[in-house]
Amino acid sequence: MNAPLHAALPPLDPAPLATPFDPAPFVARRRRLLERMAATGGGVAVVPTAPEKLRNRDTHYPYRADSYFWYLTGFGEPEAVLVLVADPAHPEGGRSLLFCREKNEEREIWDGYRHGPAAAQGAFAVDEAHPIGELDAQLPDLLGDQPALWHTLGVDSYWDERLAAAINTVRTRSRAGTRAPGEIRDLRQVLDALRLVKDASELALMQRAADIASLAHRRAMARTRPGLAEFQIEAELFHDFRLRGADGHSYPPIVAGGKNACVLHYVENNAILKDGDLLLIDAGCEVAGYASDITRTYPVNGRFSPAQKDVYEIVLASQLAAIDTIKPGATFQDPHAAALRVLTQGLVDLKLLSGDIDGLIESEAYKPWYMHRTGHWLGLDVHDAGDYKRPVEGGGSDWMPLEPGMVLTVEPGLYIRPADKVPEALWNIGIRIEDDVAVTAAGCHVLTSPPKTVAEIEEVMAHG
């Protein structure tokens, strides 16, 4: 585990933003997928990107490629589909075909550059590239005499119907001796398993996203003071995200002062920050599709009250205990179990609970104040792809073992609302502390680094 950050990170070098696109990691991922497909008999995988979505009238939401499609291609334009045909005789284990928009000078004047098939083939290192308008005509030929169609069945009814139509077209050729795929296999399951373990290029992007978000949280911390609005602190975060080259927020940020911090998914971000309250910020940025996810909680006026400090130290101790469990061979459940034990003991120390710690955990007596799990996978999606349990021999399932390249968040918290038998000094104290942690061969590495101890936070807020 890396040491806490006491000084500001140096300004981030903008040079990586100008690095030419490297298709090699995407080629390697396609090869791994084709190997998995071949191991179970082969077939054809169809991976569409996300459609553009209207925000209102004729204005679209900012476009983001589908995470699975991006993982395999790095191609960021809409109206695109990747087709992979498993073939053990092929040098790469199979063929890759990209279907994308054609060049169109008039539309490029309005909407920006398009690669077009000719340029896309070389730039993204695919075997073939074709106009997207040819997809439906080519799909029956690609699916003919293949043992299986690999598809994320049930995720998108439009693609379910479109691929069913292609299979039905193949069936009409049966008298000519062409067979339709006999199976539809779950593409999402195999891709989720691949995405769960990050390669070196992914980890580098996640570290950059973590560095940018860490500096943004530090900036927000230094700028916070009573009388500002939550959205003004949100603006400080976004300023640093874009200034340092991130694409923007990786999810709607939570900027929650006072009692709002006890609402887990508070996103209004429109209240005035009050002297004596805490501010909880849960925000991360996205870099080349990869997310960071950080939460910090600190006093609006820069000084923890005794009660706030007591609760904060419990949550921090639980987070450190959870991080200490992360290593190869541990399971996804281990950080949660470690955090839960510290939090439950803390609730006893605060006199909110009484009794045996094991019994309190078994009965879930802690749930009025801690109602979520301690983390989740992180990657191209904030709540990233990958199972949390795996089947075991003889039936049932067990928690997923950790291995190098996995990345998860560690985010325990306590949320204390006004209630009978709750001391008034503890009312409306909502605290969560979250960092992003990569599993390494030697243990783990904490990617994120905003100030976290009481002393660090108060020093940053005192000096700005």
Side-chain angles (χ1 to χ4, degrees), residues 113-169:
Y113 177 74
R114 298 181 178 190
H115 280 85
Q121 181 176 349
F124 297 92
V126 291
D127 295 309
E128 301 175 29
H130 303 278
I132 188 65
E134 296 180 6
L135 177 65
D136 289 329
Q138 291 201 35
L139 270 178
D141 295 333
L142 293 166
L143 291 171
D145 294 324
Q146 290 291 336
L149 165 65
W150 293 77
H151 168 54
T152 54
L153 185 68
V155 173
D156 186 331
S157 60
Y158 169 77
W159 278 100
D160 290 348
E161 294 172 7
R162 193 168 177 181
L163 291 172
I167 290 174
N168 286 332
T169 299

Side-chain angles (χ1 to χ4, degrees), residues 12 64 205-217 237-253 282-294 378-382 436 448:
L12 289 176
R64 185 190 187 277
L205 289 169
M206 294 188 73
Q207 183 63 73
R208 185 168 181 86
D211 289 343
I212 292 172
S214 295
L215 285 168
H217 272 265
L237 293 162
F238 190 67
H239 171 275
D240 248 33
F241 290 169
R242 293 298 288 144
L243 179 70
R244 300 179 187 279
D247 301 326
H249 292 289
S250 51
Y251 53 93
D282 187 338
C285 65
E286 186 170 283
V287 173
Y290 286 85
S292 54
D293 186 0
I294 301 174
L378 184 69
L380 279 169
D381 298 314
V382 176
D436 306 340
T448 43

Side-chain angles (χ1 to χ4, degrees), residues 29-265:
R29 293 170 203 161
R30 295 196 293 267
R31 185 182 302 122
R32 288 197 295 271
L33 174 57
L34 285 164
E35 289 171 354
R36 299 283 181 98
M37 292 167 60
T40 55
V44 175
V46 180
V47 189
T49 195
E52 293 181 288
K53 292 286 189 181
L54 280 173
R55 180 180 182 273
N56 61 311
R57 199 168 174 85
D58 59 353
T59 301
H60 287 82
Y61 284 102
Y63 184 72
R64 185 190 187 277
D66 173 79
S67 293
Y68 292 105
F69 178 85
W70 178 265
Y71 176 76
L72 294 170
T73 66
F75 187 78
E77 296 179 29
E79 298 181 71
V81 176
L82 174 71
V83 178
L84 296 174
V85 183
D87 178 3
H90 191 280
E92 302 295 339
R95 289 189 296 145
S96 57
L97 298 86
L98 178 66
F99 292 82
C100 63
R101 300 180 303 185
E102 294 187 80
K103 294 291 287 182
N104 184 317
E105 291 186 7
E106 182 179 354
R107 290 316 312 167
E108 289 183 57
I109 291 171
W110 289 90
D111 303 325
Y113 177 74
R114 298 181 178 190
H115 280 85
Q121 181 176 349
F124 297 92
V126 291
D127 295 309
E128 301 175 29
H130 303 278
I132 188 65
E134 296 180 6
L135 177 65
D136 289 329
Q138 291 201 35
L139 270 178
D141 295 333
L142 293 166
L143 291 171
D145 294 324
Q146 290 291 336
L149 165 65
W150 293 77
H151 168 54
T152 54
L153 185 68
V155 173
D156 186 331
S157 60
Y158 169 77
W159 278 100
D160 290 348
E161 294 172 7
R162 193 168 177 181
L163 291 172
I167 290 174
N168 286 332
T169 299
V170 180
R171 289 181 178 134
T172 66
R173 304 174 182 178
S174 61
R175 291 185 184 180
T178 302
R179 293 178 294 105
E183 297 181 64
I184 297 178
R185 295 183 182 158
D186 187 359
L187 178 61
R188 193 167 188 167
Q189 187 174 41
V190 66
L191 276 175
D192 283 356
L194 291 173
R195 283 177 55 185
L196 189 53
V197 178
K198 275 63 180 176
D199 60 36
S201 65
E202 291 178 287
L203 290 170
L205 289 169
M206 294 188 73
Q207 183 63 73
R208 185 168 181 86
D211 289 343
I212 292 172
S214 295
L215 285 168
H217 272 265
R218 187 184 183 98
R219 175 189 178 93
M221 191 178 292
R223 300 295 180 100
T224 296
R225 63 182 184 273
L228 293 178
E230 292 164 343
F231 58 75
Q232 290 178 286
I233 304 303
E234 178 185 344
E236 299 288 352
L237 293 162
F238 190 67
H239 171 275
D240 248 33
F241 290 169
R242 293 298 288 144
L243 179 70
R244 300 179 187 279
D247 301 326
H249 292 289
S250 51
Y251 53 93
I254 297 168
V255 183
K259 65 180 182 180
N260 296 333
C262 294
V263 179
L264 296 184
H265 293 154

Side-chain angles (χ1 to χ4, degrees), residues 13-29:
D13 179 6
L17 302 176
T19 302
F21 175 78
D22 179 9
F26 302 93
V27 172
R29 293 170 203 161

